[in-house]
């Protein structure tokens, strides 16, 4: 039975919505597409933004608007955006987006609706939008990130699903769009499961929702969806030979032999290449007087890519990063990374970072700290972070959220990890600021995990041979005052990240003074170390939670680290206090992890001033 339902459209004209087939017969849903397209450089294209007010409805577990009781996604649930006919019920589906409240997208739901602060489950989002499809074009819905699983309908057609809370995805909506008024419905499920990435029991706030930009990207039928333009990475680096750009441009839908042009006018580059049978045009071209990107000179070039009707101009820096023995070389020179860890927690307002103001505040903190580096833990952050780091000359450690408890024995979990790695590298491979890809954080030293992460590290190298691969290791536990880092995963890494909390979780701060470390002959970054202190709590240097105690822990850490010749970076945990569901000491934590050098409202603790001076004086650690 088909029922016509009338609803008052937001802009006060009547819109006849063809209700779905009422009950049992699911609408012939639009075949779900594999997410094979992931547009690179969307922030450098002209897009139709869908940011703004979206209606939302909470669909509490077991989320009957989305799932059948067997857990399958329904084809006749809320995604159809039907409306109760209040006057002449009955109505099979008791929901209505048109009269539902709204919230701002991008934005997590936790910080926008107090009733959803701790909610983990399904929330539905819906908005209308006007659109005029153009012949000879394709249109994709581009979602910067949605945590954790997403299910997308447009005009009652099921379009795509995506899993992963921190990487972008594109779903083609060309066939579903119509001239004039359209609507999109997205269900986001933030529920965590043991076989997800991250798994359960995380030490950060599980903000849910469409927490990054949402837009429509219209491109010609043959379009540039992926590209890699970098300084050729030779077996050794020499400044004189640092004059060749290489890489590829992929043109989706292009027959072999399609011309692609790569122009970097300021570097005297204007080259044309032809696509192969897979739509990929490889190129290599000499540039003239390239100014290499570095923290001191964060030079970015306008790189114009064009093919047929499509073109886009990206801002790309060219530099060389590599490991040489125990040194990290940037453009052939040893570099020492002075940085901090940072969650994607918005300063002052909390919630997920997703706008220019948030990013400006964070980079203000890093600049005040005299930092040249930041570890974006434990997942890819908003792309604005890499863009600002490119412009400001801050180097980045970027990682996927393989954090502590992961099901390493399950092939489907490995597949998820590869997909997230792909999405992270594809989005940011052209960002000079990203110098390290990390495959994990604090994972148990056992053969199943080591094989999983070794394979993943090799997959990262296959995707991008120009950057060192790292991971943050935990353990070993001290044998007396000996710390021997013999985790076999180090064999798969170019740079070793070492987390340790001597003086907070283990032992006394002064134990660090006599601690000696043994590492494999590779560069080591102390990727997490520190202690908690609540801003404004003062006391003796051994009084836990006092700012003076946090400083004391770090001062002893510096004594220890200065004795390890191959340390090439300091990454204290953490730049700013951040929300965490497992930090529940009233009056001290109140739901925040307090290891920040800064409070969540931007107040600098004494430890911040310690690092500010240490980094200015470069008094801890050596570049070689
Ligand atoms: C771990 C972990 C962090 C966590 C931190 C802490 O090392 O990597 O994600 O927040 O320690 O316990 O504060």
């Amino acid at each position: 039975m088909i029922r016509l339902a009338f609803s008052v459209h937001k802009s006060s004209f009547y819109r006849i919505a063809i209700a779905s087939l009422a009950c049992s017969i699911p609408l012939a849903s639009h075949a779900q597409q594999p997410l094979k397209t992931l547009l690179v450089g969307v922030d450098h294209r002209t897009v139709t933004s869908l940011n703004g007010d979206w209606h939302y409805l909470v669909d509490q577990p077991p989320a009957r608007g989305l799932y059948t009781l067997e857990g399958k996604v329904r084809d006749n649930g809320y995604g159809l955006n039907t409306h109760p006919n209040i006057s002449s019920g009955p109505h099979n589906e008791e929901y209505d987006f048109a009269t539902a409240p709204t919230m701002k997208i991008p934005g997590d739901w936790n910080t926008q609706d107090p009733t959803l602060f701790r909610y983990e489950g399904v929330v539905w989002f819906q908005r209308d939008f006007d659109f005029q499809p153009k012949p000879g074009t394709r249109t994709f819905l581009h979602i910067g990130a949605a945590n954790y699983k997403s299910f997308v309908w447009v005009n009652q057609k099921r379009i795509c699903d995506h899993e992963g809370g921190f990487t972008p995805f594109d779903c083609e909506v060309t066939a579903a769009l119509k001239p004039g008024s359209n609507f999109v419905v997205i269900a986001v499920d933030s529920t965590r499961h043991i076989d997800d990435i991250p798994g359960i029991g995380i030490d950060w706030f599980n903000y849910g929702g469409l927490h990054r930009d949402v837009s429509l990207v219209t491109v010609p039928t043959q379009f540039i969806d992926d590209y890699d333009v970098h300084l050729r990475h030779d077996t050794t680096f020499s400044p004189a030979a640092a004059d060749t750009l290489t890489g590829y441009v992929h043109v989706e839908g292009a027959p072999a032999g399609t011309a692609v042009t790569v122009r970097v006018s300021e570097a005297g580059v204007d080259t044309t290449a032809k696509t192969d049978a897979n739509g990929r045009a490889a190129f290599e071209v000499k540039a003239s007087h390239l100014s290499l990107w570095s923290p001191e000179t964060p030079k970015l070039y306008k790189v114009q890519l064009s093919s047929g009707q499509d073109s886009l101009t990206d801002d790309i820096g060219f530099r060389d990063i590599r490991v040489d023995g125990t040194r990290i070389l940037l453009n052939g020179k040893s570099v020492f990374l002075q940085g901090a860890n940072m969650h994607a927690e918005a300063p002052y307002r909390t919630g997920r970072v997703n706008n220019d103001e948030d990013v400006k505040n964070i980079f203000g903190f890093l600049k005040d700290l005299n930092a040249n580096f930041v570890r974006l833990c434990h997942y890819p952050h908003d792309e604005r972070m890499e863009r600002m780091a490119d412009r400001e000359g801050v180097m980045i450690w970027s990682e996927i959220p393989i954090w502590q408890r992961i099901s390493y024995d399950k092939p489907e979990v490995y597949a998820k990890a590869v997909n997230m790695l792909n999405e992270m590298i594809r989005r940011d491979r052209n960002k000079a600021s990203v110098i390290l890809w990390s495959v994990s954080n604090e994972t148990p030293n056992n053969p199943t995990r080591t094989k999983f992460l070794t394979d993943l590290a090799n997959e990262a190298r296959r995707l991008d041979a120009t950057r060192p691969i790292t991971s943050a290791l935990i353990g070993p536990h001290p044998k007396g005052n000996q710390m021997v880092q013999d985790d076999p995963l180090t064999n798969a890494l170019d740079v070793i990240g070492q987390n340790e909390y001597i003086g907070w979780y283990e032992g006394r701060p002064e134990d660090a003074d006599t601690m000696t470390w043994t590492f494999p002959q590779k560069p080591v970054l102390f990727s997490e170390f520190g202690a908690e202190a609540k801003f404004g709590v003062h006391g003796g240097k051994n009084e836990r939670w006092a700012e003076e105690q946090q400083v004391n822990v770090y001062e002893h850490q510096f004594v220890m680290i200065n004795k390890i010749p191959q340390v090439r970076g300091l990454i204290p945990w953490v730049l700013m206090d951040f929300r965490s569901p497992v930090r529940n000491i009233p009056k001290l934590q109140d739901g925040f992890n307090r290891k920040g050098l800064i409070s969540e409202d931007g107040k600098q603790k004494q430890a911040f001033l310690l690092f500010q001076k240490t980094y200015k004086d470069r008094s801890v650690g050596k570049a070689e």
Side-chain angles (χ1 to χ4, degrees):
M1 171 189 70
I2 291 184
R3 287 182 295 111
L4 299 186
F6 289 84
S7 71
V8 176
H9 187 277
K10 254 188 331 174
S11 50
S12 79
F13 66 83
Y14 280 93
R15 175 167 59 83
I16 294 176
I18 309 292
S20 69
L21 288 171
C23 44
S24 60
I25 312 159
L27 199 72
S29 67
H30 186 76
Q32 281 181 49
Q33 294 169 338
L35 293 183
K36 64 181 172 55
T37 296
L38 179 55
L39 289 151
V40 173
V42 168
D43 62 345
H44 279 55
R45 282 185 178 271
T46 305
V47 300
T48 304
S49 174
L50 293 183
N51 291 347
D53 292 328
W54 286 54
H55 293 289
Y56 72 97
L57 287 171
V58 181
D59 193 359
Q60 286 183 250
R64 293 301 315 280
L66 176 59
Y67 300 120
T68 63
L69 283 178
E70 297 71 38
K72 296 257 179 298
V73 174
R74 295 175 58 190
D75 269 340
N76 59 352
Y78 290 11
L80 300 185
N81 186 24
T82 56
H83 306 278
N85 199 325
I86 308 287
S87 54
S88 65
H91 178 65
N92 290 299
E93 292 290 349
E94 296 184 14
Y95 71 96
D96 183 41
F97 289 117
T99 53
T102 62
M103 71 166 68
K104 293 289 179 208
I105 300 305
D108 56 85
W109 63 61
N110 314 76
T111 57
Q112 294 196 69
D113 178 337
T115 67
L116 299 178
F117 179 63
R118 292 187 190 283
Y119 176 71
E120 293 192 349
V122 173
V123 175
W124 288 86
F125 297 91
Q126 184 277 340
R127 68 160 287 169
D128 299 327
F129 62 93
D130 290 329
F131 196 77
Q132 295 307 328
K134 293 187 199 67
T137 66
R138 296 172 66 179
T139 298
F140 293 83
L141 181 69
H142 179 81
I143 297 174
N147 187 43
Y148 172 78
K149 281 184 182 161
S150 309
F151 308 86
V152 178
W153 284 261
V154 168
N155 297 335
Q156 296 196 324
K157 290 190 173 63
R158 178 105 181 269
I159 301 294
C160 68
D161 303 348
H162 179 265
E163 178 170 353
F166 303 98
T167 42
F169 59 100
D170 291 296
C171 305
E172 184 161 11
V173 294
T174 312
L177 293 175
K178 56 191 174 55
S181 180
N182 296 262
F183 57 82
V184 53
V185 180
I186 303 176
V188 182
D189 187 351
S190 72
T191 310
R192 285 172 294 158
H193 308 93
I194 189 79
D195 291 347
D196 291 351
I197 298 178
I200 54 180
I202 49 177
D203 184 18
W204 68 81
F205 206 79
N206 185 36
Y207 291 109
L210 295 168
H211 61 93
R212 292 185 194 153
D213 294 332
V214 181
S215 59
L216 290 169
V217 189
T218 297
V219 291
T221 45
Q222 296 180 13
F223 61 96
I224 296 168
D225 70 333
D226 182 20
Y227 51 88
D228 170 15
V229 185
H230 64 267
L231 185 71
R232 194 179 64 192
H233 194 80
D234 299 328
T235 44
T236 56
F237 173 80
S238 89
D243 61 359
T244 303
L245 300 184
T246 187
Y248 64 82
V249 177
H250 183 269
V251 186
E252 181 61 27
T258 300
V260 173
T261 302
V262 179
R263 273 194 198 90
V264 188
S265 309
E266 199 184 344
V269 166
D270 184 347
T271 187
T272 301
K274 296 266 196 248
T275 58
D276 63 16
N278 301 316
R280 184 182 176 121
F283 70 89
E284 181 156 303
V285 61
K286 278 251 185 263
S288 51
H289 48 270
L290 267 185
S291 168
L292 298 187
W293 185 94
S294 73
E296 296 73 27
T297 57
K299 170 69 180 168
L300 299 178
Y301 286 89
K302 292 290 177 197
V303 177
Q304 297 167 286
L305 306 173
S306 58
S307 178
Q309 303 295 311
D310 197 20
S311 68
L312 79 144
T313 299
D314 201 341
D315 295 306
I316 300 179
F318 302 110
R319 53 103 188 93
D320 183 274
I321 188 77
R322 65 183 65 217
V323 163
D324 173 36
T326 66
R327 300 183 303 160
I328 298 174
L329 303 183
L330 175 67
N331 302 328
K333 276 173 57 188
S334 297
V335 65
F336 190 81
L337 306 176
Q338 299 191 139
N341 282 282
M342 181 70 190
H343 266 292
E345 184 90 68
Y348 308 109
R349 66 178 181 87
T350 71
R352 280 282 168 248
V353 169
N354 58 26
N355 62 53
D356 294 340
E357 179 70 14
D358 293 340
V359 173
K360 187 166 72 64
N361 288 330
I362 293 167
F363 276 82
F365 296 157
L366 290 168
K367 194 175 176 71
D368 282 353
L369 191 64
N370 298 317
N372 65 2
F373 181 80
V374 62
R375 177 187 176 202
L376 300 184
C377 58
H378 287 294
Y379 36 75
H381 288 211
D382 189 289
E383 191 173 9
R384 291 176 177 83
M385 290 293 286
E386 281 81 5
R387 289 296 188 191
M388 186 126 192
D390 274 0
R391 294 191 300 270
E392 296 288 310
V394 175
M395 294 172 282
I396 285 178
W397 161 324
S398 186
E399 67 187 32
I400 55 174
I402 292 192
W403 186 91
Q404 295 187 8
R405 291 169 282 278
I406 297 288
S407 308
Y408 297 105
D409 56 339
K410 301 200 171 146
E412 65 273 23
V413 176
Y414 183 75
K416 287 180 194 174
V418 168
N419 192 48
M420 288 180 190
L421 188 72
N422 232 306
E423 292 174 342
M424 172 176 73
I425 292 178
R426 185 154 163 153
R427 187 192 77 174
D428 293 333
R429 67 182 318 135
N430 295 298
K431 312 278 195 330
S433 53
V434 178
I435 61 164
L436 291 166
W437 301 122
S438 170
V439 292
S440 60
N441 178 72
E442 296 196 355
T443 56
N445 177 355
N446 65 55
T448 308
R449 156 279 207 172
T450 303
K451 165 122 179 44
F452 184 107
L453 292 179
T454 299
D455 291 349
L456 203 58
N458 291 332
E459 176 66 14
R461 289 189 182 91
R462 190 187 64 77
L463 292 167
D464 176 8
T466 71
R467 288 176 173 90
I469 307 301
T470 189
S471 169
L473 307 178
I474 192 70
H477 295 286
K479 296 183 183 99
N481 67 346
Q482 297 287 322
M483 288 281 218
V484 177
Q485 180 48 276
D486 55 4
D487 185 331
L489 180 59
T490 54
N491 298 323
L493 305 178
D494 301 303
V495 174
I496 296 168
Q498 180 63 57
N499 294 359
E500 50 83 17
Y501 285 91
I502 298 166
W504 179 258
Y505 288 130
E506 289 186 302
R508 304 164 305 157
E510 53 272 31
D511 294 346
D513 297 353
T514 54
M515 196 65 75
T516 59
W517 288 80
T518 308
F519 287 103
Q521 281 308 297
K522 295 184 176 181
V524 171
L525 305 178
F526 268 66
S527 40
E528 288 189 27
F529 57 109
E532 302 221 18
K534 172 146 184 186
F535 175 79
V537 171
H538 294 288
K541 66 181 184 174
N542 285 309
E543 185 177 330
R544 281 172 80 92
W545 303 98
E547 290 187 40
E548 292 77 6
Q549 165 268 158
Q550 190 182 30
V551 166
N552 183 48
V553 167
Y554 278 124
E555 286 175 336
H556 288 289
Q557 287 281 327
F558 290 167
V559 169
M560 175 180 80
I561 291 171
N562 257 332
K563 290 184 211 162
I564 309 168
Q566 67 208 93
V567 169
R568 301 296 177 224
L570 303 177
I571 323 177
W573 184 265
V574 65
L575 179 63
M576 187 184 84
D577 291 353
F578 60 92
R579 283 195 191 284
S580 168
V582 296
R583 305 295 173 169
N584 292 314
I585 303 176
K587 299 189 181 58
L588 286 173
Q589 293 175 317
D590 298 317
F592 282 86
N593 182 314
R594 294 274 181 219
K595 296 188 184 69
L597 305 179
I598 302 176
S599 68
E600 69 278 12
D601 44 8
K603 298 190 179 78
Q604 296 175 354
K605 302 175 192 176
Q606 288 180 11
F608 182 94
L609 305 175
L610 171 71
F611 274 94
Q612 186 181 56
K613 182 170 184 341
T614 299
Y615 286 173
K616 182 166 178 291
D617 300 347
R618 296 178 183 256
S619 56
V620 175
K622 293 182 181 58
E624 55 189 328

